[in-house]
Amino acid sequence: MVPLPPRPTRPLRKAPRGSNAHFLSRSPRRERRLEELLDAEALPLSEGAEMSEQSKDGCDPNFALEASSSEVHSSPEVPGGPPLPAPEAATLAEPESPPLGPTDAPLASPPPPAPMEEGDPKALQQAAEEDRAHQAPSAAQPGPAPPAPAQLVQKAHELMWYVLVKDQKRMIIWFPDMVKDVIGSYKKWCRSILRRTSLILARVFGLHLRLTSLHTMEFSLVKALEPEELDRVALSNRMPMTGLLLMILSLIYVKGRGARESAVWNVLRILGLRPWKKHSTFGDVRKLITEEFVQQNYLKYQRVPHVEPPEYEFFWGSRASREITKMQIMEFLARVFKKDPQAWPSRYREALEEARALREADPTAHCPRSSVSED
Amino acid sequence: MQSSNRRMGIMTDVHRRFLQLMMTHGVLEEWEVKRLQRHCYKVHDSTATVDKLEDFINNINSVLESLYIEIKKGVTEDDGRPIYALVNLATTPISKMASDFAENELDLFRKALELIIDSETGFASSTNILNLVDQLKGKKMRKKEAEQVLQKFVQNKWLIERWPPVSILQKEGEFTLHGRAILEMEQYIRETRPDAAKTCNICHSLLIQGQSCETCGIRMHLPCVAKYFQSNSEPRCPHCNDYWPHEIPEVFDPEQEREPGVSRPNKKSLRSRQH
């Protein structure tokens, strides 16, 4: 077993200058420091002993998380500059190494504070400052004994399943939820737990648990394997949902701007869907597209300004922009209308540009496979 | 490279993609799984010969073993179609539903589950389930709402609804567990209701719906009956040897299934018995 590299020692936190920033403010320097930390730590995957070593790390007062809701440890990564009294959220940065490489993705996560959920910035700032005063003495104490490695392993497995199910249901994976629902009293060791979970997901499922937004502490499961997921669409029960969504997204895309709700319903009418009718597969279609898809960040549903009586329009949601490429939309259109994608020349050009940009951004990825295999 | 994989099988991209897709789809029929497997091979390693499905899945399961999850194979109780699902052996299955459903909805499911297990036929009538609406934990639910929740369960493949062919008196549907729910919950049911849980005399796994011997009361799954009495002109109870009084269903033939999901036309027709 490879011994862990020596942990970098961290200076004890001094009170930050000017603790007025909102506790959720981002800090690029902090993120960069985290990245360095992640790169520095290799992660051999092995059983028990590894876990307990890491749990020792977890107990390190610099990274440890007290269960008490009023205490908040600051993270040493917080630079003096941008004032950030509250500790940072856990970060699992995208591993640099190829996802399936045997040398595992370096992952670490300074545990975020549970009180983030409570969300009162002021209280947190105060707590953080009080806590900093405690830091010096607490550094001397070892903290509570780490749980048996087997328990941490079990927690990691639970977390793995939790993340997989959330992703399957297209729900947001929110860090505070993870702590509340799964990690619970093992908050102190959530770093190790998260690390192990990410490893398992990468090794066994080929999925990366990535912190997509430090600000909102959202994770998502990114497929390390490409090509992307119209193949998931091809097989069964999600097809209708995805088809419906793709239809709306295509409409928006082709229009080049927001699609008015009336226009969307004109299209859906062709499929036999009406806002007032319950559909056997989709149920309440209107609720689906104006609420559920919006909640999942696939669509945005906004009021058109300055229009009376009020009208609404749809835009692509952030998640759609992340998960679905323009080329996929073109292929979808081509399939549905049985035309060549180049029948929409300007849109096709845009899609090509985007594809080129994506390739350049990530030269290791292959070109996304066009359509799904025929069945 | 760390060879920490001492207990694990070999995971390649093919297997990983397969797992991802299995996870995405929840439960799949065998033909879908085979297609998925072929797709994964095509995407990642088109030159390799496709492993036999059973070996392929066993290989993956050997890796998953240490994680307490498994790709489980089951058989639909009504027509013997093989299905596969990725199940978590460590958690209570209700918790898997927990992210989808509110507290009162989960409780409705629990109540329906109890009724199904306790019933003689393995089906709980819509009326009986809805009558329990007042006893639910959590927010108060109206019967109308409960009907929709039941439909949600059907859509999410936890329950199956059918309309009993019997009489004009029964205008409403009845519910039983979907094959997927049985796969996920078998262990849980056996542990929590060992007295009430029925077992199949042939395959010894959990039985929700099936046929029973009128003399000695042993039960068998419909597909188990089909296989056991296949080409037997005088079916007799394996336990008490009395004449088996029920219609013997056809053995599921995957070759015959061209249209997946559509019930075969001859399935429901009375089979003429040759004596």
Side-chain angles (χ1 to χ4, degrees):
Chain A
M1 193 175 40
V2 172
L4 281 180
R7 292 219 41 252
T9 50
R10 312 241 162 252
L12 290 175
R13 290 295 309 144
K14 301 200 188 122
R17 317 174 236 138
S19 328
N20 301 323
H22 190 279
F23 75 100
L24 282 179
S25 60
R26 307 183 68 153
S27 155
R29 267 167 74 187
R30 168 165 47 103
E31 289 179 19
R32 243 182 298 124
R33 296 271 289 272
L34 275 171
E35 298 273 351
E36 286 166 26
L37 170 70
L38 300 177
D39 284 345
E41 296 200 44
L43 265 178
L45 171 69
S46 65
E47 311 288 351
E50 168 75 12
M51 220 39 197
S52 60
E53 285 209 61
Q54 292 175 8
S55 63
K56 268 189 266 173
D57 294 348
C59 285
D60 185 308
N62 290 321
F63 288 92
L65 187 71
E66 290 303 319
S68 142
S69 61
S70 60
E71 282 177 296
V72 150
H73 287 268
S74 64
S75 164
E77 266 71 40
V78 177
L84 230 254
E88 55 213 303
T91 308
L92 286 164
E94 171 85 295
E96 313 288 37
S97 52
L100 305 161
T103 54
D104 303 297
L107 295 164
S109 52
M116 285 287 205
E117 307 171 85
E118 278 136 52
D120 181 1
K122 271 201 124 188
L124 282 166
Q125 289 175 15
Q126 284 169 5
E129 283 170 75
E130 282 168 20
D131 200 75
R132 220 151 286 115
H134 293 311
Q135 268 231 341
S138 73
Q141 288 153 13
Q151 284 172 294
L152 292 175
V153 169
Q154 187 194 355
K155 278 293 165 188
H157 294 162
E158 282 176 34
L159 186 62
M160 169 203 73
W161 189 252
Y162 178 86
V163 163
L164 282 170
V165 171
K166 283 263 177 184
D167 182 67
Q168 179 200 33
K169 300 191 161 56
R170 299 200 184 173
M171 294 170 75
I172 300 288
I173 307 169
W174 199 41
F175 187 87
D177 277 342
M178 284 161 75
V179 175
K180 182 171 60 128
D181 295 334
V182 181
I183 303 184
S185 53
Y186 292 88
K187 268 190 302 234
K188 236 182 174 29
W189 298 277
C190 80
R191 186 177 176 226
S192 330
I193 296 173
L194 266 166
R195 199 188 303 191
R196 186 172 186 102
T197 302
S198 316
L199 257 174
I200 299 173
L201 285 168
R203 275 266 183 84
V204 175
F205 287 83
L207 296 168
H208 277 315
L209 183 62
R210 193 211 301 215
L211 186 71
T212 46
S213 163
L214 192 54
H215 185 74
T216 53
M217 286 189 283
E218 280 172 23
F219 285 88
S220 63
L221 273 183
V222 175
K223 301 216 172 3
L225 308 174
E226 50 67 36
E228 245 310 317
E229 281 308 332
L230 280 184
D231 65 355
R232 121 157 75 160
V233 165
L235 294 168
S236 88
N237 52 0
R238 291 238 280 209
M239 181 52 166
M241 276 318 163
T242 322
L244 176 64
L245 179 65
L246 279 179
M247 190 70 97
I248 301 177
L249 290 175
S250 313
L251 175 66
I252 301 171
Y253 180 54
V254 165
K255 274 179 167 286
R257 56 177 196 286
R260 292 281 180 95
E261 188 169 356
S262 47
V264 170
W265 283 111
N266 278 341
V267 169
L268 295 184
R269 194 172 39 147
I270 303 173
L271 299 176
L273 303 174
R274 308 295 169 100
W276 58 84
K277 274 201 335 208
K278 282 234 187 314
H279 190 260
S280 55
T281 310
F282 299 118
D284 185 340
V285 184
R286 185 154 194 284
K287 183 162 184 243
L288 179 63
I289 64 178
T290 58
E291 287 179 34
E292 288 184 40
F293 283 161
V294 174
Q295 215 176 18
Q296 294 167 5
N297 288 321
Y298 283 114
L299 289 177
K300 283 208 255 276
Y301 181 63
Q302 290 166 359
R303 172 114 183 245
V304 180
H306 314 308
V307 166
E308 282 300 328
E311 277 189 49
Y312 291 83
E313 55 184 345
F314 289 92
F315 296 88
W316 278 46
S318 56
R319 191 164 177 184
S321 313
R322 261 203 318 271
E323 292 187 5
I324 302 174
T325 66
K326 294 181 178 165
M327 196 49 91
Q328 283 172 330
I329 297 286
M330 297 310 299
E331 286 157 16
F332 176 77
L333 288 171
R335 251 189 304 162
V336 167
F337 291 98
K338 305 216 189 336
K339 287 196 208 174
D340 192 272
Q342 307 201 26
W344 295 266
S346 58
R347 295 289 165 257
Y348 187 68
R349 261 200 306 276
E350 269 185 53
L352 276 178
E353 300 254 335
E354 186 198 58
R356 193 175 306 130
L358 286 173
R359 264 200 309 279
E360 281 166 16
D362 187 6
T364 58
H366 306 147
C367 296
R369 201 35 108 78
S370 42
S371 319
V372 157
S373 54
E374 306 305 324
D375 294 305
Chain B
M1 160 166 145
Q2 285 263 322
S3 63
S4 50
N5 304 339
R6 42 185 189 273
R7 285 206 298 272
M8 310 205 302
I10 308 163
M11 280 301 266
T12 67
D13 283 358
V14 180
H15 301 97
R16 290 185 186 104
R17 176 162 289 265
F18 181 81
L19 257 187
Q20 285 177 23
L21 289 166
M22 287 259 18
M23 188 65 212
T24 306
H25 290 281
V27 61
L28 289 171
E29 296 190 24
E30 192 166 58
W31 68 272
E32 293 175 301
V33 175
K34 287 191 169 156
R35 185 174 71 164
L36 208 145
Q37 182 198 20
R38 282 198 304 273
H39 171 83
C40 294
Y41 267 95
K42 209 194 275 199
V43 166
H44 286 285
D45 195 357
S46 44
T47 54
T49 40
V50 177
D51 269 353
K52 223 177 71 149
L53 185 65
E54 198 183 324
D55 298 330
F56 187 76
I57 291 188
N58 285 341
N59 183 27
I60 296 180
N61 276 338
S62 70
V63 173
L64 299 182
E65 196 184 336
S66 55
L67 305 174
Y68 300 103
I69 61 181
E70 182 185 335
I71 299 179
K72 247 192 176 184
K73 178 177 175 182
V75 159
T76 57
E77 281 190 326
D78 48 2
D79 49 5
R81 279 173 292 139
I83 54 171
Y84 293 80
L86 184 60
V87 302
N88 185 341
L89 303 169
T91 64
T92 61
I94 306 275
S95 68
K96 174 163 191 186
M97 302 170 74
S99 49
D100 263 346
F101 299 101
E103 189 190 353
N104 55 0
E105 295 172 334
L106 284 178
D107 213 34
L108 182 68
F109 184 81
R110 271 190 219 106
K111 293 269 186 289
L113 182 63
E114 295 293 310
L115 284 176
I116 289 170
I117 295 173
D118 289 330
S119 76
E120 179 54 33
T121 57
F123 283 84
S125 76
S126 180
T127 316
N128 288 345
I129 301 175
L130 295 177
N131 281 339
L132 298 175
V133 156
D134 296 324
Q135 302 170 22
L136 294 180
K137 292 185 217 162
K139 207 173 93 162
K140 194 149 170 64
M141 190 191 290
R142 292 188 308 278
K143 281 196 178 168
K144 260 286 176 222
E145 255 182 270
E147 279 178 9
Q148 289 173 353
V149 175
L150 287 175
Q151 289 309 314
K152 219 164 75 158
F153 289 142
V154 172
Q155 276 163 20
N156 284 291
K157 306 206 174 164
W158 293 104
L159 293 179
I160 296 177
E161 186 178 14
R162 78 163 185 198
W163 283 264
V166 183
S167 73
I168 8 166
L169 297 172
Q170 237 176 325
K171 289 236 189 75
E172 29 122 62
E174 43 182 24
F175 295 89
T176 189
L177 289 183
H178 195 282
R180 179 258 194 108
I182 297 179
L183 270 182
E184 301 251 7
M185 302 198 176
E186 170 164 7
Q187 207 177 341
Y188 170 75
I189 293 174
R190 278 160 170 267
E191 283 169 17
T192 54
R193 304 293 313 279
D195 48 322
K198 308 175 186 81
T199 350
C200 173
N201 193 264
I202 304 290
C203 66
H204 304 292
S205 39
L206 180 68
L207 182 142
I208 300 288
Q209 52 166 315
Q211 292 178 353
S212 60
C213 174
E214 278 162 16
T215 319
C216 63
I218 60 135
R219 295 166 191 276
M220 289 161 54
H221 289 121
L222 291 164
C224 294
V225 167
K227 237 186 271 180
Y228 187 76
F229 291 133
Q230 195 176 17
S231 56
N232 180 340
S233 51
E234 275 206 21
R236 291 185 165 277
C237 171
H239 193 247
C240 70
N241 215 35
D242 234 7
Y243 188 69
W244 190 260
H246 306 283
E247 178 194 342
I248 311 296
E250 302 261 329
V251 174
F252 172 72
D253 181 4
E255 304 306 310
Q256 261 187 25
E257 289 267 309
R258 280 301 144 216
E259 274 277 82
V262 172
S263 45
R264 286 172 287 152
N266 59 357
K267 189 157 54 105
K268 296 285 185 254
S269 62
L270 276 173
R271 193 174 149 210
S272 58
R273 319 257 28 239
Q274 279 104 28
H275 288 278

